[in-house]
């Protein structure tokens, strides 16, 4: 195997790892990251050391420091999708007399999404500093399992409030830490969780709306052309009725960019939809992504009990106060005064 082939294989692995890490949004303990680490160890035997060092340096810069790269990628992808939608799908649908309000809906969702994006990326997620440390410590009680009283952050040199975590990207402790999102280049914490949740919902709605309008346009083209009642000659010279596979191939050859965009936004809708549902579940149960991941190691139970030495401590979420109050806490974070009333 020559160096060029070896480099291509290694580059393909790196690109795949980057894509998987993007989905993980910085969660180091995920199964995908552990799998990637194992694969990297295998490749270390065949990949030149210098190439490994360069790759590790770039991956560390991307995934362990704050960077605007994914923000730029996020904007570029949105621009590409909306460019294709505007110059082709919108024009064709307008000629087919689609309702104007339906065609303008993706732009309205884009405006809302960009507003939530800016607020989430620019807002203070809940940075813990000396001036607000005393008040933030009083907001949440320590559960004794995920969050222990008296634990000091070695970097910030302050006691960690319950539900907080030190972010290695931003190099600071964050109140009610959820995760660091590379797409908004900011942590998601107590004070910007509502913006992140709305950002996810509008992004999912954008992808779903564009996918629905594009699919409706292609369906209309098929119906108007009566293509399904037609036939074609296959490679063996036999006449066959038009089937779904031929129809997709024909549409791809006729509208290649539109069909490619449709496949992309459908995939995006499924991924974002699942991720939005996960964050809705977290909001309704008053958990963060960080707490959900940690609680999987301890299991779940109705009661917080200390098991015998050969068993783990069983975890119970003590922060849940019912669906409505949990959801309200996302949009109106608790303060010290509200904590004392309870």
């Amino acid at each position: 195997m020559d160096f060029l082939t070896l480099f291509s294989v290694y580059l393909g692995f790196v690109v795949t790892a980057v894509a998987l890490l993007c989905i993980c949004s910085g969660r180091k303990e995920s199964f995908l990251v552990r799998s990637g680490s194992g694969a990297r160890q295998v490749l270390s035997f065949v990949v030149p050391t210098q190439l490994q060092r360069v790759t590790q340096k770039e991956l560390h810069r991307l995934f362990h420091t704050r960077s605007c790269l994914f923000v730029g990628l996020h904007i570029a992808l949105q621009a590409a999708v909306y460019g294709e939608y505007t110059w082709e799908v919108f024009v064709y649908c307008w000629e087919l007399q689609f309702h104007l309000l339906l065609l303008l809906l993706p732009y309205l969702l884009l405006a809302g999404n960009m507003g939530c994006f800016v607020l989430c990326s620019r807002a203070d997620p809940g940075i813990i500093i000396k001036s607000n440390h005393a008040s933030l410590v009083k907001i949440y009680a320590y559960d004794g399992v995920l969050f222990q009283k008296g634990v000091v952050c070695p970097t910030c040199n302050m006691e960690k409030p319950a539900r907080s975590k030190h972010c290695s990207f931003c190099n600071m402790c964050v109140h009610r830490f959820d995760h660091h999102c590379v797409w908004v280049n900011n942590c998601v914490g107590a004070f910007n969780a509502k913006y992140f949740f709305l950002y996810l919902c509008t992004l999912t709605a954008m992808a779903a709306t564009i996918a629905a309008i594009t699919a409706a346009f292609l369906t209309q083209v098929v119906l108007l052309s009566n293509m399904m009642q037609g036939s074609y000659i296959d490679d063996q010279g036999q006449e066959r009725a038009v089937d779904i596979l031929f129809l997709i191939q024909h549409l791809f050859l006729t509208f290649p960019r539109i069909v490619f965009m449709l496949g992309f936004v459908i995939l995006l809708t499924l991924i974002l939809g699942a991720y939005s549902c996960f964050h809705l579940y977290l909001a309704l149960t008053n958990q963060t992504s960080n707490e959900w991941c940690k609680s999987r190691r301890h299991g779940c139970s109705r009661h917080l009990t200390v098991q015998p030495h050969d068993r783990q401590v069983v975890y119970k979420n003590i922060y849940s106060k019912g669906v409505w109050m949990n959801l309200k806490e996302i949009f109106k974070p608790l303060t010290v005064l509200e904590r004392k009333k309870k």
Side-chain angles (χ1 to χ4, degrees), residues 217-262:
F217 158 68
L218 294 176
T219 302
Q220 190 77 347
V221 169
V222 172
L223 294 177
L224 291 176
S225 63
N226 292 320
M227 194 179 302
M228 294 303 294
Q229 281 72 44
S231 61
Y232 68 98
I233 305 300
D234 63 11
D235 296 336
Q236 287 73 36
Q238 297 180 347
E239 184 177 3
R240 295 182 180 275
V242 172
D243 54 11
I244 296 297
L245 185 61
F246 176 84
L247 182 62
I248 294 175
Q249 182 180 7
H250 175 77
L251 289 174
F252 185 79
L253 293 175
T254 308
F255 309 103
R257 293 192 300 272
I258 293 178
V259 174
F260 181 81
M261 182 194 71
L262 176 61

Side-chain angles (χ1 to χ4, degrees), residues 11-182:
L11 185 61
F13 167 76
V14 170
V15 171
T16 303
V18 169
L20 294 176
L21 286 171
C22 290
I23 297 174
C24 294
S25 298
R27 295 183 182 87
K28 301 178 184 177
E29 300 299 327
S30 67
F31 171 77
L32 292 177
V33 178
R34 291 197 301 269
S35 300
S37 178
R40 187 171 63 249
Q41 292 177 0
V42 173
L43 287 175
S44 65
F45 294 104
V46 295
V47 177
T49 304
Q50 186 175 2
L51 183 58
Q52 292 182 43
R53 290 175 180 173
V54 172
T55 304
Q56 289 174 358
K57 182 179 179 181
E58 290 303 311
L59 288 177
H60 184 273
R61 184 178 65 85
L62 289 177
F63 297 105
H64 294 276
T65 58
R66 295 191 68 175
S67 171
C68 293
L69 175 64
F70 290 102
V71 175
L73 179 60
H74 172 273
I75 296 174
L77 288 173
Q78 279 193 336
V81 170
Y82 270 85
E84 181 61 26
Y85 173 79
T86 301
W87 297 115
E88 293 206 62
V89 177
F90 186 94
V91 174
Y92 287 138
C93 289
W94 179 255
E95 293 176 355
L96 293 174
Q97 298 182 343
F98 277 58
H99 199 285
L100 179 61
L101 183 59
L102 176 63
L103 298 179
L104 292 177
L105 182 57
Y107 299 104
L108 299 176
L109 291 170
L110 175 64
N113 178 258
M114 292 305 297
C116 294
F117 170 79
V118 171
L119 289 172
C120 186
S121 61
R122 301 293 298 234
D124 173 15
I127 302 173
I128 301 173
I129 55 179
K130 291 183 178 180
S131 60
N132 63 10
H133 177 265
S135 60
L136 293 179
V137 166
K138 300 175 183 178
I139 292 180
Y140 292 112
Y142 293 93
D143 61 11
V145 181
L146 302 185
F147 305 103
Q148 305 281 350
K149 186 175 179 59
V151 176
V152 177
C153 174
T155 304
C156 300
N157 197 27
M158 291 185 294
E159 182 183 2
K160 289 184 178 181
R163 311 191 77 180
S164 69
K165 185 179 185 297
H166 185 86
C167 176
S168 59
F169 293 81
C170 304
N171 196 30
M172 59 190 181
C173 286
V174 177
H175 175 53
R176 200 182 184 276
F177 178 87
D178 190 279
H179 71 286
H180 181 94
C181 180
V182 295

Side-chain angles (χ1 to χ4, degrees), residues 189-301:
F191 301 144
N192 67 345
K194 54 182 175 291
Y195 302 132
F196 181 76
F197 182 71
L198 294 174
Y199 163 76
L200 269 184
C201 292
T202 52
L203 195 61
T204 305
M206 282 166 50
T209 303
I210 292 178
I213 294 174
T214 306
F217 158 68
L218 294 176
T219 302
Q220 190 77 347
V221 169
V222 172
L223 294 177
L224 291 176
S225 63
N226 292 320
M227 194 179 302
M228 294 303 294
Q229 281 72 44
S231 61
Y232 68 98
I233 305 300
D234 63 11
D235 296 336
Q236 287 73 36
Q238 297 180 347
E239 184 177 3
R240 295 182 180 275
V242 172
D243 54 11
I244 296 297
L245 185 61
F246 176 84
L247 182 62
I248 294 175
Q249 182 180 7
H250 175 77
L251 289 174
F252 185 79
L253 293 175
T254 308
F255 309 103
R257 293 192 300 272
I258 293 178
V259 174
F260 181 81
M261 182 194 71
L262 176 61
F264 175 73
V265 292
I266 287 177
L267 178 63
L268 200 61
T269 301
L270 295 176
I271 295 174
L272 290 173
Y275 195 50
S276 299
C277 290
F278 172 67
H279 270 273
L280 177 61
Y281 161 75
L282 293 179
L284 295 177
T285 56
N286 205 328
Q287 297 182 80
T288 64
S289 298
N290 178 52
E291 293 165 2
W292 183 85
C293 291
K294 286 184 175 180
S295 67
R296 300 305 99 184
R297 306 169 197 164
H298 296 279
C300 301
S301 174

Side-chain angles (χ1 to χ4, degrees), residues 283 286 321-330 334 342:
N286 205 328
K321 308 175 187 67
V323 171
W324 171 247
M325 293 302 297
N326 292 341
L327 192 60
K328 181 182 177 182
E329 190 172 316
I330 294 295
L334 288 178
K342 298 183 182 298

